[in-house]
Amino acid sequence: MGFLSALFGGKQETPEEKEKNSNEKNFNIFKYDGVKAAKIGQFEYAIRCYNEALQIHDDLETRDYLARALTRTGRLDEAIEQLQILTDAEPDNVALLLQVARIYHLKEDYTSMDAICNKAMQMAPANAEACFLSAQAQMGMSNAIQAVALLTKALTLNPGMGIALMMRSKALLQLGDIQGATADADQLVRANPGNEDVLMLKARVELKAGNHANAIAIYSQVIELNPFCVEAFTERGQARYETGDTKGAQEDLKKVLEINPEALADVSGEYSAEGIEHKVKQAYSFINPLGI
């Protein structure tokens, strides 16, 4: 056998080489089986595969895949543990820091999120996403003024960042700056005229400004786009009720209860024609369509 191997240029593997090649083969099988599983939404299986791969040898890319899969399954603390290993290995990687910040946002741990974002902004002052995520943290801590400043910076760095423009409009609305909120909402509508979320924002701004007719018309646009939008029916009903259109408010409230009977769980009793005006009044007394 040795003579034939030498004759044909072959080389016999040592036991150590065989073990190494076998481990590498098994590592790749586990890693890429995990990738395939994650692509079709089988995240628990993907997590098992990634962990098996990491038992064979450490690999930063596999840890990143594992962190993403853990996040998708709601195992957020475990995901942060994996990302901490990655950030220790790559301390200058801003993208990793922002990934951690997003997980803290999911955990509603805005203090930790803000600290991570500040670190990212120090490392990359021109990173618009870091500014945006920091603004999200500030909004979570009810610091709308700081959020507006950060969102303005994000938009200076990236004028096309629609999500930052939307959040700034909402923050300005909270601060009572109707003019500023309107300007941002109008810019969004021009860029995204058929977007449901944008139209909902514009309707809320109009409602806050006291322009009930405009708000009702825009809520109606949203309902045309999505006939099952509970928020649009609820808030249009609120606007109708405030203008004295009790019948229209009743119709919208009925629709809300048809789509989602639990949406108005605080309204007790059967929904019937008898006493309906009182029920509508009761419903719209506790609904805050603006969420502010």
Side-chain angles (χ1 to χ4, degrees), residues 256-265:
V256 170
L257 292 170
E258 286 175 15
I259 298 171
N260 181 8
E262 297 180 0
L264 302 177

PDB file of all heavy atoms in Angstrom, residues 256-265:
ATOM      1  N   VAL A 256     -64.815  47.791  14.805  1.00  0.00           N
ATOM      2  CA  VAL A 256     -63.704  47.392  15.668  1.00  0.00           C
ATOM      3  C   VAL A 256     -64.033  46.092  16.386  1.00  0.00           C
ATOM      4  O   VAL A 256     -63.220  45.159  16.442  1.00  0.00           O
ATOM      5  CB  VAL A 256     -63.381  48.499  16.693  1.00  0.00           C
ATOM      6  CG1 VAL A 256     -62.405  47.991  17.754  1.00  0.00           C
ATOM      7  CG2 VAL A 256     -62.793  49.723  15.995  1.00  0.00           C
ATOM      8  N   LEU A 257     -65.246  46.005  16.928  1.00  0.00           N
ATOM      9  CA  LEU A 257     -65.651  44.812  17.666  1.00  0.00           C
ATOM     10  C   LEU A 257     -65.815  43.605  16.754  1.00  0.00           C
ATOM     11  O   LEU A 257     -65.601  42.468  17.176  1.00  0.00           O
ATOM     12  CB  LEU A 257     -66.946  45.089  18.420  1.00  0.00           C
ATOM     13  CG  LEU A 257     -66.810  46.084  19.574  1.00  0.00           C
ATOM     14  CD1 LEU A 257     -68.181  46.486  20.101  1.00  0.00           C
ATOM     15  CD2 LEU A 257     -65.967  45.502  20.699  1.00  0.00           C
ATOM     16  N   GLU A 258     -66.186  43.833  15.491  1.00  0.00           N
ATOM     17  CA  GLU A 258     -66.279  42.728  14.527  1.00  0.00           C
ATOM     18  C   GLU A 258     -64.893  42.164  14.221  1.00  0.00           C
ATOM     19  O   GLU A 258     -64.702  40.946  14.151  1.00  0.00           O
ATOM     20  CB  GLU A 258     -66.929  43.210  13.233  1.00  0.00           C
ATOM     21  CG  GLU A 258     -68.424  43.447  13.313  1.00  0.00           C
ATOM     22  CD  GLU A 258     -68.974  44.042  12.029  1.00  0.00           C
ATOM     23  OE1 GLU A 258     -68.256  43.993  11.000  1.00  0.00           O
ATOM     24  OE2 GLU A 258     -70.095  44.580  12.041  1.00  0.00           O
ATOM     25  N   ILE A 259     -63.946  43.056  14.014  1.00  0.00           N
ATOM     26  CA  ILE A 259     -62.590  42.625  13.648  1.00  0.00           C
ATOM     27  C   ILE A 259     -61.886  41.999  14.838  1.00  0.00           C
ATOM     28  O   ILE A 259     -61.235  40.960  14.729  1.00  0.00           O
ATOM     29  CB  ILE A 259     -61.771  43.820  13.115  1.00  0.00           C
ATOM     30  CG1 ILE A 259     -62.409  44.375  11.846  1.00  0.00           C
ATOM     31  CG2 ILE A 259     -60.331  43.389  12.823  1.00  0.00           C
ATOM     32  CD1 ILE A 259     -61.793  45.687  11.384  1.00  0.00           C
ATOM     33  N   ASN A 260     -62.014  42.637  15.990  1.00  0.00           N
ATOM     34  CA  ASN A 260     -61.323  42.167  17.189  1.00  0.00           C
ATOM     35  C   ASN A 260     -62.209  42.404  18.404  1.00  0.00           C
ATOM     36  O   ASN A 260     -62.187  43.488  18.995  1.00  0.00           O
ATOM     37  CB  ASN A 260     -59.989  42.904  17.359  1.00  0.00           C
ATOM     38  CG  ASN A 260     -59.220  42.423  18.572  1.00  0.00           C
ATOM     39  OD1 ASN A 260     -59.589  41.439  19.216  1.00  0.00           O
ATOM     40  ND2 ASN A 260     -58.137  43.119  18.903  1.00  0.00           N
ATOM     41  N   PRO A 261     -62.997  41.406  18.801  1.00  0.00           N
ATOM     42  CA  PRO A 261     -63.932  41.569  19.931  1.00  0.00           C
ATOM     43  C   PRO A 261     -63.252  41.958  21.235  1.00  0.00           C
ATOM     44  O   PRO A 261     -63.892  42.513  22.113  1.00  0.00           O
ATOM     45  CB  PRO A 261     -64.585  40.187  20.049  1.00  0.00           C
ATOM     46  CG  PRO A 261     -64.413  39.568  18.699  1.00  0.00           C
ATOM     47  CD  PRO A 261     -63.107  40.085  18.172  1.00  0.00           C
ATOM     48  N   GLU A 262     -61.944  41.672  21.366  1.00  0.00           N
ATOM     49  CA  GLU A 262     -61.250  41.977  22.608  1.00  0.00           C
ATOM     50  C   GLU A 262     -60.620  43.363  22.598  1.00  0.00           C
ATOM     51  O   GLU A 262     -60.033  43.797  23.593  1.00  0.00           O
ATOM     52  CB  GLU A 262     -60.170  40.932  22.872  1.00  0.00           C
ATOM     53  CG  GLU A 262     -60.727  39.523  23.077  1.00  0.00           C
ATOM     54  CD  GLU A 262     -59.637  38.505  23.339  1.00  0.00           C
ATOM     55  OE1 GLU A 262     -58.456  38.911  23.357  1.00  0.00           O
ATOM     56  OE2 GLU A 262     -59.968  37.324  23.518  1.00  0.00           O
ATOM     57  N   ALA A 263     -60.718  44.066  21.462  1.00  0.00           N
ATOM     58  CA  ALA A 263     -60.063  45.366  21.350  1.00  0.00           C
ATOM     59  C   ALA A 263     -60.589  46.369  22.362  1.00  0.00           C
ATOM     60  O   ALA A 263     -59.863  47.232  22.838  1.00  0.00           O
ATOM     61  CB  ALA A 263     -60.228  45.916  19.938  1.00  0.00           C
ATOM     62  N   LEU A 264     -61.870  46.259  22.697  1.00  0.00           N
ATOM     63  CA  LEU A 264     -62.481  47.175  23.649  1.00  0.00           C
ATOM     64  C   LEU A 264     -62.988  46.400  24.857  1.00  0.00           C
ATOM     65  O   LEU A 264     -64.130  46.519  25.277  1.00  0.00           O
ATOM     66  CB  LEU A 264     -63.634  47.939  22.983  1.00  0.00           C
ATOM     67  CG  LEU A 264     -63.235  48.757  21.746  1.00  0.00           C
ATOM     68  CD1 LEU A 264     -64.456  49.406  21.129  1.00  0.00           C
ATOM     69  CD2 LEU A 264     -62.207  49.814  22.106  1.00  0.00           C
ATOM     70  N   ALA A 265     -62.107  45.595  25.416  1.00  0.00           N
ATOM     71  CA  ALA A 265     -62.499  44.704  26.512  1.00  0.00           C
ATOM     72  C   ALA A 265     -63.004  45.460  27.729  1.00  0.00           C
ATOM     73  O   ALA A 265     -63.791  44.940  28.516  1.00  0.00           O
ATOM     74  CB  ALA A 265     -61.311  43.832  26.908  1.00  0.00           C
TER      75      ALA A 265
END
